[in-house]
Amino acid sequence: MNAMRFQKENTGTAPVTVKKALVLISQGGYKRIGKMIEDSFAENNCELVFDYFNGECSTNEINRLLKVVKDNGCDLTIGIGGGKIFDTAKAVAHYAGTQVFICPTIASTDAPCSALSVIYTDEGVFEKYLFLPANPNLVMMDTEIIAKSPVRLTVAGMGDALATYFEANTLLFGIGFESAGLAGAHAIHNGLTVLEECHHMYHGEKVAFGTLAQLVLENVPHEELEEIIMWCIEVGLPVTLEELGAGNVTDEQLMEVAKAASAEGDTLQNMPFTVTPESVFAAIKAADAYGRYYLGEE
């Protein structure tokens, strides 16, 4: 085979020939599976251009990689790793006009299938959603690699799935949020990104706490809230600000979180009632208090 060829299903179009691919991967990911990737391309003439992900799906990172794609004449973008790598690869492919392949090494977010990139600042603060015209051309998972991923990342994926269950009553959280929309949990996650204290936490972990705050906002029955909190504790998801690394933040800082979560255009506007920064602030404080109570801290 002279080059890698693939054909989009049900389009009736001719196969697309790919001669050079940008492979976006973390430095640690390359150390673990770089040789496996290279060996998998050994029998064709599709050249690989590896580039290490800088850690944030930011405008600067997207522009940097867009230049790599153009300078090297890549006609395919491949994202290998986790959610922010996928969102970056999807955005780069969109702007470069290439196909995009997504290869998860962890099951931690709903990013692989979506026609969406979440854009952050270089410092990791939520900036905006980039809605894309199409879903990835291919999502390929190696279950053996997924099974070897850190348990904490799989648990974080459970947190992301939990949130989407309440936000959209979805069938499959990986694609369901695009059909039914997100709501409070993800908006509160976005608000939490303004706290540097939370930057070390995974997306699904912050979203799980956001789910508790959303349930408080909805004034769900106590039994339902208790069930979800106890489930989070059982699987290892954070239920307090302390567990998010933000146990010492001030009320002023939490109000900034609430204001960011309530920003116009974010998904808190999808709640079926009016939400204000003040009500979000109160819900975060209440969710934290509930979490501390069920952990036996008060």
Side-chain angles (χ1 to χ4, degrees):
M1 182 179 292
N2 292 326
M4 185 165 64
R5 293 163 66 86
F6 69 96
Q7 184 170 351
K8 293 180 68 175
E9 293 184 5
N10 302 322
T11 62
T13 59
V16 177
T17 299
V18 177
K19 296 181 179 179
K20 187 179 290 188
L22 168 68
V23 179
L24 182 60
I25 192 171
S26 69
Q27 189 169 1
Y30 180 79
K31 289 179 180 178
R32 290 190 299 272
I33 61 174
K35 186 178 186 303
M36 180 189 304
I37 298 168
E38 292 170 340
D39 289 348
S40 71
F41 281 80
E43 295 183 3
N44 64 65
N45 293 334
C46 178
E47 183 180 345
L48 299 181
V49 177
F50 284 91
D51 207 298
Y52 295 146
F53 180 53
N54 279 346
E56 289 296 341
C57 180
S58 66
T59 298
N60 286 335
E61 177 70 346
I62 291 167
N63 287 338
R64 181 186 73 81
L65 291 164
L66 186 59
K67 186 175 186 300
V68 173
V69 168
K70 291 181 176 179
D71 288 350
N72 289 274
C74 297
D75 47 11
L76 172 65
T77 303
I78 303 175
I80 301 177
K84 289 190 176 183
I85 286 180
F86 303 152
D87 281 2
T88 305
K90 288 183 290 185
V92 169
H94 168 62
Y95 290 124
T98 73
Q99 307 287 339
V100 60
F101 288 1
I102 298 298
C103 302
T105 60
I106 54 178
S108 62
T109 70
D110 50 15
C113 302
S114 69
L116 169 75
S117 291
V118 184
I119 310 299
Y120 297 85
T121 67
D122 291 331
E123 294 72 35
V125 178
F126 170 78
E127 188 171 276
K128 64 180 180 180
Y129 292 113
L130 172 64
F131 294 97
L132 304 170
N135 301 87
N137 301 94
L138 173 71
V139 177
M140 181 173 66
M141 298 178 68
D142 186 323
T143 54
E144 184 176 350
I145 292 175
I146 297 292
K148 293 178 180 177
S149 65
V151 171
R152 181 184 167 192
L153 287 166
T154 302
V155 171
M158 296 164 67
D160 206 13
L162 171 73
T164 319
Y165 173 80
F166 287 102
E167 289 175 307
N169 292 319
T170 59
L171 176 62
L172 297 173
F173 89 104
I175 57 175
F177 79 90
E178 291 188 294
S179 301
L182 301 177
H186 274 78
I188 292 168
H189 160 276
N190 294 341
L192 288 169
T193 66
V194 307
L195 298 178
E196 187 175 350
E197 292 87 345
C198 294
H199 284 183
H200 68 290
M201 301 300 293
Y202 292 125
H203 171 85
E205 294 171 329
K206 288 178 283 188
V207 168
F209 182 81
T211 301
L212 303 183
Q214 175 179 320
L215 294 176
V216 171
L217 276 172
E218 294 183 73
N219 196 28
V220 300
H222 177 266
E223 295 76 14
E224 182 178 356
L225 181 61
E226 179 181 52
E227 179 183 5
I228 299 306
I229 292 174
M230 295 306 294
W231 181 82
C232 287
I233 292 172
E234 182 179 357
V235 300
L237 287 166
V239 296
T240 67
L241 291 170
E242 178 71 33
E243 291 184 312
L244 288 170
N248 295 321
V249 299
T250 65
D251 283 353
E252 289 76 14
Q253 287 176 289
L254 286 182
M255 181 54 76
E256 292 305 310
V257 171
K259 289 178 180 177
S262 307
E264 185 176 353
D266 211 329
T267 55
L268 257 177
Q269 313 306 318
N270 294 336
M271 298 293 287
F273 48 82
T274 301
V275 180
T276 66
E278 289 75 19
S279 63
V280 174
F281 170 84
I284 292 172
K285 295 278 285 189
D288 176 62
Y290 277 116
R292 286 186 281 112
Y293 173 79
Y294 284 103
L295 285 174
E297 296 179 0
E298 62 175 42

